[in-house]
Amino acid sequence: QVQLVESGGGSVQAGGSLRLSCVASGYTYSSHCMGWFRQAPGKEREGVAFMYTDGTYEYYADSVKGRFTISQDNAKNTVYLQMNSLKPEDTAMYYCAARFSQSGYYCARSPQLQNYWGQGTQVTVSS
């Protein structure tokens, strides 16, 4: 059974940094899409960063480009989201997601197309 477990959320002041982790287990796919989404109260879930784990694709939403970085440690089956220069508008529940039904060079970014989700980790940025 596929499991995604996020950690690393917390409260930080504007301008600060956090690193989120997503540990994946229970699958044997060698390459696949991993994405980070966020959802603020009253808003739709939005994708902020995606990567194909063979390194052929990476994407950032305009709202986080230049501030967030997605990366992976294959030995630890872990995907990270480094978040720098955080702003109050980054406050949200952050989720990692995996999509296995995808070839390389592109990752579908719609929440409806993700195959598995983690439970989420809260990020709160104060001004």
Side-chain angles (χ1 to χ4, degrees), residues 4-82:
L4 303 176
V5 180
E6 303 100 330
S7 62
S11 296
V12 65
Q13 289 193 327
S17 298
L18 285 172
R19 189 178 78 159
L20 306 183
S21 300
C22 173
V23 180
S25 62
Y27 62 88
T28 58
Y29 291 88
S30 58
S31 297
H32 55 281
C33 287
M34 293 294 297
W36 285 97
F37 291 77
R38 66 186 182 187
Q39 188 166 21
K43 295 189 176 182
E44 293 186 351
R45 190 169 297 192
E46 64 166 337
V48 297
F50 297 84
M51 69 181 302
Y52 200 82
T53 56
D54 67 358
T56 56
Y57 180 82
E58 197 170 279
Y59 170 89
Y60 297 94
D62 288 343
S63 57
V64 306
K65 200 172 293 182
R67 300 187 298 122
F68 290 12
T69 302
I70 189 170
S71 63
Q72 63 180 331
D73 183 335
N74 289 332
K76 297 181 179 179
N77 284 342
T78 301
V79 174
Y80 302 99
L81 185 68
Q82 178 67 43

